[in-house]
């Protein structure tokens, strides 16, 4: 495997939002009509046309002063991708050799299964096209030896991209150097993600960052239990009735009852 | 920048003050981050908690316009705690120099003040000279007239209590910053300062930077890798713009603009060529005549001869005492003194302080030519808000021009790095590169002068204009930027020989007709040309140096001497001779910029090729020493705190001079006194305000407001204010409000934030707010208008840069009190 | 249609139409649903122009038809099915005589206890399938809730799947003659005597028509 990881070192991110624009440029996504709503975060959330959003969180500190945290939010490209498990259309959500989890929008039927099972609330449904969209890890670039558009544009070097093992090592080294509450986010759940963070603060300090994410239990119940069981149930019923027929036999009306 | 962008990575402490590089120079943070990864500390001082502050180890808030008080406190802290790099200060700065005994400073005024003219007679601001004409020194620094003692006396008043009362910065925070930054007084610790318009756009703009320069000198941080005083330029090519004399008072290469009273070239050169008697002072500007004559030769070519003073009389001149700076130009325009106006690549209807006045001023014009990428508020001023198009006589011409990637040419960035750029795509429609537009314009003007004559046709007709290949008919069809670049560099008309100091053997270093390799070869006899002497060496016989893309880093400190080309003479860190001892040993061997290996210099191109110990390091001043005491400025040799034109407190706590005594006042105070009205300490405008930029837009937004992706990020004019103020005013986050000043008002959306906090100033609570200046009524439709409708017409006495970083406003809810 | 000799009408036209709309839509839902659930069955999408998207859309629309049809089913059979009486309890004790030999199967009315139970289950799962299906189609609830609808819907498939197979068997091979009830609607008296004696008495006594 040629697995790659995008490492987002939040401690270096200055919220310049170059990545947000680069993503739109590379993926030819339209601008959205927005309003100043009392924050620099805009659009307010991920949308079908915004696959990469820099989130701004202001946290007043008890000891005085303020923290202003920035986080680039996009698909985590899970190794165990709940979205892919859920998708009803074969080949619609597929994984590349690099580990990118990609939606083939041609195939997407807009059932929104992926939207509702993603532990990171990533995919977004477009009611106009009736399809779902999200970050592709620029699979069309990385498959050709390029790095993702957002990583390419990131001036401060907060977003880097490279071989999985190397990036994980880099992430841990950086978190260690930062010290304090710094952690690495990404390698310890859903069998590892192909987008990882170095977080200088605790996970809960960041807007919309899932604490202890996992593939939802409901997905296992649904796809790994009930799905096979439904065949079993029908099969069992068929077998049961068959044996009933040959052992007990049908119930015939009494002769001459007319 | 004395240093360069990559060099930030070498710093141990980075002070961000008067700037916000994370937002306005986003790429700079690549180097800031690199430094921090290596363990550097980042300090950010700003009225508002910015995106830069978000990354800082230490943040301190200060009220807009009080930087000198803040830095003065730091100077006092350094002196009190003896944190100077002693050897550096004694040997390389003018600390030991003795100043005229009549020099004085009393209650905010330096000696020689003329209250009526609002200016200083600077005759007492000078060094004492010995019999040989060399400045007197006391290297023990004990003489009461030595600059070190004067400095100590001047800043003794900047104690923590007073500074804290003026700036509103809690004393703890002041100490944290002072302590953190002055760590770099150790020879092997280096600090850098990154500043921008937050320091310059004040009535004490130049002195803000002076104050920091003093600190850098005391700590021994000038000339060092990871040190210096670094102005982060706000536009990719604004450094190039100033180098090539976009300002009224200088001509290319930082030479002074001739005045009408300089009747002959000799007069002009005599007045402007500094002299020294000190053999150890290289006094670089002694070469000025060579640069001026070479410039005149570049301008007038064969028409410039020794006999006609190289065409000096055709060269434009200022009247004696004339100030033709931006604010004055528009003041004159408002008074109907202009017929026409070329608005070339600019948008004064939004960018100029007191933009309302500027918009009105443009109504007096007969014509305007607006050269820009897009329509803007300047070209469309006649249909702006509150304007009746039927009453405007001005005829406006729009000339669409090519964007940077639609033409070839060079830009010079803050690192003084001249980089060649190539054309990526053709300009759209009728848009043309600026050079083509200028070329066409010149041909037309020249033709008119030639055919119809005119008041004084010689300056136009004698101009040499060889900016492209000539056709058989002698005309240039397409101007070519390479021709311009070559002329800027310059060539020689005759062989140039240089004599070896030891062997006395002469060798020819440049043959007649060749491009010159260095300004060292420029002559004052008319045999050489150079359009801008500092760029001599940029386009040589070896080709276009700015197009080089070498990635080698032989010193390991990121100088990359083979990448593009940097003025002067590809020197990446200027004043680098101050980074070594007299013997040529680096103060900081880990990050050596240059070193003397016993026979020659290694590392960067040194400031002067002379052997170690032969010359003083600061070669650009006649005394060869960096100036803690600088006599050349309009408002004093030492920075002193004065309040902004509009401020929230009745009294300057430092002295009874409230406003910088040397600034030029426009109009009179009080509402109703014309467009230049201002109001200070007026209860109607109780809030301190500053303008700024955000990452997502650029300048007045003419480029970015037409880019939907960027409008999506920052769609509307906003005002940031503290939770406390919002509560007082009943303003909710995201609500529409009106921001008003004595001059105008703008609508904005409120951003109620933790990132602004009320200040305690002189025991009263003062609120500060901030607004971006990117918006304008042309687009986007619901975007709002320019913050500069609020800013006052007042400028720094040295540069006339407007004071848009500190003025007074009020905020009201939209539609009522 | 003229009344055939010796036969007795066991269901109205209304009942039969409702049944077949219900059955047809249900079968369609099963097939298309499985086409969505199993990638191995995704070839089914090829039967629809527009592929998976149309298959899913038809599943949703037919779901609505199914839902409405069931309302009519309630009108048709609700009063005969949505209760148990004493005989039904006894019926359960011997499991209707389907599983082991019994002396005498307790007498049933129009529907025996097993059929009633089937209908009740169908009622419950009609509710579940409609309730989940509609909000899977239009997910207005938060993801945390919606993802459990998928589970319930699949649970419905399991239960209904089993029940429908048994229902099919009992309605055809398991009980010869029964298919007629939903076919032309006429059954023999002998069949009626065996399967719904109480009902037969009621009809013969004129207490009910069908
Ligand atoms: C007897 C009745 C029904 C059966 C047997 C049935 C069967 C199925 C099956 C097997 C699936 C695939 C589930 C999976 O992928 O795990 C499914 C999905 C779905 N069903 Fe049903 N279903 C029935 C009724 C309904 C009804 C009444 C509706 C509502 C209109 C409905 C709406 C849906 C929806 C929205 C989906 C999600 C898949 C998609 O949107 O393509 N179903 N159904
Ligand atoms: S480009 Fe880099 S620094 Fe800028 S917002 Fe994105 S991640 Fe942050
Ligand atoms: S983050 Fe969500 S959308 Fe992305 S791969 Fe994981 S489950 Fe799928
Ligand atoms: S919405 Fe599209 S991508 Fe998501 S699960 Fe459904 S078919 Fe797959
Ligand atoms: S990887 Fe590509 S698609 Fe994903 S956020 Fe970055 S630029 Fe956008």
């Amino acid at each position: 495997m040629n697995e790659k990881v995008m490492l987002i070192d939040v401690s270096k991110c200055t919220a310049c939002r170059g990545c947000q624009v680069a993503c739109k440029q590379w993926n030819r996504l339209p601008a959205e009509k927005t309003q100043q709503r009392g924050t620099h975060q805009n659009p307010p959330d991920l949308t079908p046309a915004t696959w990469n959003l820099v989130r701004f969180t202001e946290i007043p500190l008890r000891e005085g002063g303020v923290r202003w945290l920035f986080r680039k939010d996009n698909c985590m490209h899970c190794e165990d991708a709940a979205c892919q498990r859920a998708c009803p259309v074969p080949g619609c959500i597929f994984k590349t050799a690099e580990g990118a989890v990609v939606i083939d929008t041609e195939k997407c039927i807009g059932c929104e299964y992926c939207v509702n099972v993603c532990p990171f609330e990533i995919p977004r449904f477009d009611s106009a096209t009736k399809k779902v969209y999200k970050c592709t890890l620029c699979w069309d670039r990385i498959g050709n030896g390029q790095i993702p558009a957002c990583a390419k544009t990131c001036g401060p070097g907060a977003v880097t991209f490279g071989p999985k093992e190397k990036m994980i090592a880099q992430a841990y080294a950086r978190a260690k150097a930062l010290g304090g509450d710094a952690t690495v986010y990404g390698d310890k759940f859903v069998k590892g993600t192909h987008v990882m963070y170095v977080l200088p603060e605790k996970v809960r300090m960041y807007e919309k960052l899932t604490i202890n994410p996992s593939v939802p239990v409901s997905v296992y119940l649904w796809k790994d239990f009930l799905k096979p069981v439904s065949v079993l149930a029908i099969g069992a019923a068929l077998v049961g009735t068959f044996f009933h027929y040959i052992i007990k036999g049908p119930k015939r009306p009494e002769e001459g009852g007319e | 920048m004395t240093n360069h962008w990559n060099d930030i990575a070498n710093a141990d402490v980075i002070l961000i003050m008067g700037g916000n590089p994370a937002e306005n120079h986003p790429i700079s943070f690549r180097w800031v981050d690199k430094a921090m990864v290596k363990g550097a500390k980042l300090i950010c001082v700003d009225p508002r908690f910015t995106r830069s502050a978000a990354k800082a180890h230490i943040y301190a808030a200060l009220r807009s316009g009080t930087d000198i008080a803040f830095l003065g406190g730091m100077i006092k802290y350094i002196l009190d705690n003896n944190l100077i790099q002693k050897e550096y200060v004694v040997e390389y700065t003018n600390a030991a120099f003795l100043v005229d005994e009549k020099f004085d400073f009393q209650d905010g005024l330096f000696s020689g003040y003329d209250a009526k003219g609002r200016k200083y007679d600077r005759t007492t601001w000078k060094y004492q000279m010995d019999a040989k004409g060399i400045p007197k020194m006391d290297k023990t620094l004990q003489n009461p007239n030595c600059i070190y003692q004067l400095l100590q006396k001047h800043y003794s008043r900047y104690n923590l209590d007073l500074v804290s009362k003026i700036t509103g910065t809690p004393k703890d925070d002041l100490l944290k910053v002072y302590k953190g930054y002055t760590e770099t007084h150790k020879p092997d610790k280096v600090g850098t300062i990154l500043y921008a318009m937050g320091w310059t756009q004040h009535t004490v703009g130049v002195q803000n930077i002076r104050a920091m320069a003093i600190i850098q000198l005391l700590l021994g941080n000038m000339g060092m890798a990871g040190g210096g005083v670094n102005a982060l330029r706000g536009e990719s090519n604004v450094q190039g713009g100033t180098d090539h004399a976009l300002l009224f008072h200088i001509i290319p290469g930082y030479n002074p603009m001739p005045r009408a009273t300089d009747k002959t070239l000799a007069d002009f050169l005599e007045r402007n060529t500094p002299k020294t008697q000190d053999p150890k002072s290289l006094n670089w500007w002694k070469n000025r005549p060579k640069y001026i004559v070479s410039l005149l030769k570049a301008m007038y070519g064969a028409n410039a001869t020794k006999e006609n003073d190289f065409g000096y009389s055709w060269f434009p001149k200022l009247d004696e005492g004339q100030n033709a700076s931006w604010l004055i130009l528009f003041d004159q325009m408002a008074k109907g003194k202009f017929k026409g106006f070329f608005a070339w690549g600019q948008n004064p209807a939004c960018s100029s302080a007191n933009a309302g006045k500027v918009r009105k001023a443009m109504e007096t014009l007969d014509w305007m030519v607006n050269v820009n990428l897009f329509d803007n508020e300047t070209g469309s001023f006649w249909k702006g808000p509150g304007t009746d198009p039927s009453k405007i006589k001005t005829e406006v011409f729009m000339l669409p021009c090519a964007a940077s990637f639609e033409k070839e040419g060079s830009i010079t960035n803050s690192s003084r790095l001249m980089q060649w750029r190539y054309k990526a795509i053709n300009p759209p429609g009728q848009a043309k590169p600026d050079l083509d537009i200028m070329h066409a314009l010149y041909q037309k003007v020249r033709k008119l002068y030639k055919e119809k004559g005119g008041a004084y046709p010689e300056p136009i007709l004698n101009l040499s204009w060889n900016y492209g290949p000539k056709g058989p008919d002698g005309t240039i069809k397409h101007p070519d930027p390479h021709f311009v670049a070559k002329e800027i560099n310059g060539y020689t008309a005759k062989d140039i020989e240089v004599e070896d100091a030891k062997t006395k053997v002469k060798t020819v270093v440049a043959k007649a007709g060749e491009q010159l390799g260095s300004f060292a070869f420029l002559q004052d006899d008319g045999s050489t040309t150079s359009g801008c002497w500092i760029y001599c060496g940029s386009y040589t016989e070896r080709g276009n140096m700015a197009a080089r893309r070498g990635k080698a880093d032989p010193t390991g400190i990121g100088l990359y001497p083979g990448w593009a080309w940097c003025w002067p003479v590809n020197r990446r860190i200027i004043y680098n001779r101050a980074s070594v001892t007299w013997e040529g040993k680096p103060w900081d061997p880990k990050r050596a910029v240059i070193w003397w290996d016993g026979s020659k210099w290694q590392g960067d191109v040194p400031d002067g090729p002379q052997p170690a110990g032969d010359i003083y390091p600061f070669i650009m001043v006649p005394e060869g020493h960096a100036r803690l005491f600088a006599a050349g400025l309009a408002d004093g040799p030492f920075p002193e705190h004065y309040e902004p034109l509009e401020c929230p407190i009745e009294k300057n706590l430092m002295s009874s001079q409230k406003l910088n005594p040397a600034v030029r006042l426009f109009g009179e105070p009080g509402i109703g006194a014309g467009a230049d009205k201002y109001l200070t300490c007026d209860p109607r405008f109780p809030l301190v305000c500053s303008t700024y930029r955000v990452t997502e837009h650029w300048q007045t937004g003419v480029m970015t407001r037409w880019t939907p992706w960027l409008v999506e990020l920052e769609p509307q004019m906003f005002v940031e204010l503290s939770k406390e103020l919002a509560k007082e005013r009943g303003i909710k986050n995201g609500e529409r409000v009106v921001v008003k000043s004595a001059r105008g008002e703008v609508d904005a959306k409120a951003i109620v934030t933790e990132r602004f906090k009320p200040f305690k100033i002189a025991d009263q609570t003062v609120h500060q707010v901030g607004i971006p200046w990117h918006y304008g009524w042309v687009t986007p439709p619901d975007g709002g208008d320019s913050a500069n409708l609020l800013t006052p017409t007042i400028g720094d006495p040295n540069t006339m840069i407007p004071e848009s970083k500190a003025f007074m406003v009020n905020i009201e809810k939209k539609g009522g009190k | 249609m003229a009344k055939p000799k010796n036969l007795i009408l066991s269901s109205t036209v209304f009942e039969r139409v409702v049944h077949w709309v219900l059955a047809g839509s249900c079968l369609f839902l099963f097939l298309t649903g499985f086409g969505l659930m199993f990638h191995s069955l995704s070839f089914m999408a090829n039967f629809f122009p527009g592929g998976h998207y149309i298959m899913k859309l038809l599943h949703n629309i037919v779901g609505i038809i199914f839902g409405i049809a069931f309302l009519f089913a309630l009108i048709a059979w609700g009063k005969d099915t949505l209760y148990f009486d004493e005989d039904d309890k006894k019926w359960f004790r011997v499991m209707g005589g389907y599983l082991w030999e019994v002396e005498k199967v307790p007498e049933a009315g129009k529907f025996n206890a097993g059929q009633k139970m089937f209908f009740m289950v169908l009622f419950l799962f009609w509710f579940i399938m409609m309730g989940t299906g509609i909000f899977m189609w239009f997910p207005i609830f938060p993801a945390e809730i919606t993802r459990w609808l998928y589970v319930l819907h699949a649970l419905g498939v399991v239960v209904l799947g089993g029940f429908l197979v048994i229902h099919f068997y009992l309605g055809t091979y398991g009980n010869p003659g029964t298919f007629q009830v939903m076919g032309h609607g006429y059954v023999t008296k002998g069949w009626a005597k065996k399967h719904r004696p109480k009902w037969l008495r009621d009809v013969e006594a004129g207490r009910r028509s069908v």
Side-chain angles (χ1 to χ4, degrees), chain B residues 732-754:
Chain B
K732 284 194 282 300
N733 196 24
E735 206 170 18
R736 271 187 194 278
V737 295
V738 190
V739 188
K740 297 183 174 178
S741 80
R743 293 153 296 277
E745 56 179 72
V746 282
D747 284 7
K749 289 286 196 72
I751 298 184
V752 178
T753 170
E754 297 283 350

Side-chain angles (χ1 to χ4, degrees), chain B residues 68-69 72-73 76 154-160 163 639-641 654:
Chain B
I68 292 178
K76 177 170 161 57
H154 189 85
Y155 291 102
S156 61
R157 301 168 302 136
Y158 288 65
N159 62 62
L160 273 188
V163 169
E640 168 69 3
H641 169 73
M654 251 336 150

Side-chain angles (χ1 to χ4, degrees), chain A residues 113 222, chain C residues 26 30 33 36-37 56 59-60 63 130 133 136 153 157:
Chain A
Y113 282 2
W222 169 32
Chain C
C26 193
F30 255 100
L36 290 168
M37 188 139 80
K56 178 232 164 200
H59 181 92
N60 300 154
M130 291 304 292
M136 284 157 75
H153 205 77
V157 174

Side-chain angles (χ1 to χ4, degrees), chain B residues 14 252 267 278 368 458 488 507 555 767 786:
Chain B
I14 299 165
D267 292 346
D278 193 332
M368 175 198 288
E458 287 83 353
I488 288 171
T507 40
T555 53
H767 292 285
S786 175

Side-chain angles (χ1 to χ4, degrees), chain B residues 68 225 268-269 349 403 449 527 578 599 601 606 644 750:
Chain B
I68 292 178
F268 171 64
L269 294 177
Y449 268 112
S527 62
S599 56
W601 288 105

Side-chain angles (χ1 to χ4, degrees), chain A residues 87-89 92-93 103 108-114 132:
Chain A
C87 182
V89 185
C92 171
I93 298 187
I103 298 180
C108 173
I109 59 170
C111 69
E112 299 182 64
Y113 282 2
C114 53
V132 163

